[in-house]
Amino acid sequence: MELSQALSHPALTGMPRPDLQALIDRITLPYQAALEERRHRQRGGDRQPGTRSGLFRQKITDADRILATVLSQRGLCDQQALAAVFGVSRGTIRNAIEDVQPILDQDQYVVTPAERRFATAADVLKFVTERGETPC
């Protein structure tokens, strides 16, 4: 099972997997539009001819960025532990949260606090493994 599937366990996200997927489906397009708008503003205009057209491999997918933000907003663990779980830097997680949170707010996503807080990535992974999830 892939990591994202394991981390989408309802005990971690606070919602059934179909609801999480519906949330991801609903906000992905507005998220991508907001991201492109921010990049356009940072560039000061349209992309210049001869540039890479902004194409580069993302460290985590848009869906993982949304999932990481949901987990963070629930207070499941700190950003450093989330970064370790996803195998990225804390800055990547911070940027994801900064980009996704306004879209979640617009969608009127209501955060349900986590019933349990984890200190480390290992604790999170142990939790999902104990529930029959096997992160890759």
Side-chain angles (χ1 to χ4, degrees), residues 32-91:
Q32 290 171 340
L35 198 55
E36 180 54 33
E37 181 181 320
R38 178 175 56 86
R39 289 177 180 155
H40 184 270
R41 197 172 47 252
Q42 287 173 334
R43 278 191 309 268
D46 294 335
R47 291 186 183 110
Q48 298 299 310
T51 62
R52 296 182 309 163
S53 300
L55 298 176
F56 58 95
R57 186 179 165 278
Q58 293 292 324
K59 294 179 177 112
I60 58 176
T61 66
D62 290 344
D64 284 346
R65 290 169 182 272
I66 294 166
L67 175 59
T69 303
V70 167
L71 297 176
S72 173
Q73 295 306 307
R74 292 197 72 226
L76 190 71
C77 56
D78 64 19
Q79 290 180 10
Q80 188 62 46
L82 269 179
V85 167
F86 282 95
V88 297
S89 70
R90 185 173 177 270

Side-chain angles (χ1 to χ4, degrees), residues 8 10 13-26 66 70 107 109:
S8 70
T13 64
M15 65 183 90
R17 283 188 170 114
D19 292 356
L20 175 64
Q21 188 58 53
L23 174 69
I24 290 169
D25 293 344
R26 197 169 54 245
I66 294 166
V70 167
D107 189 68
Y109 166 71

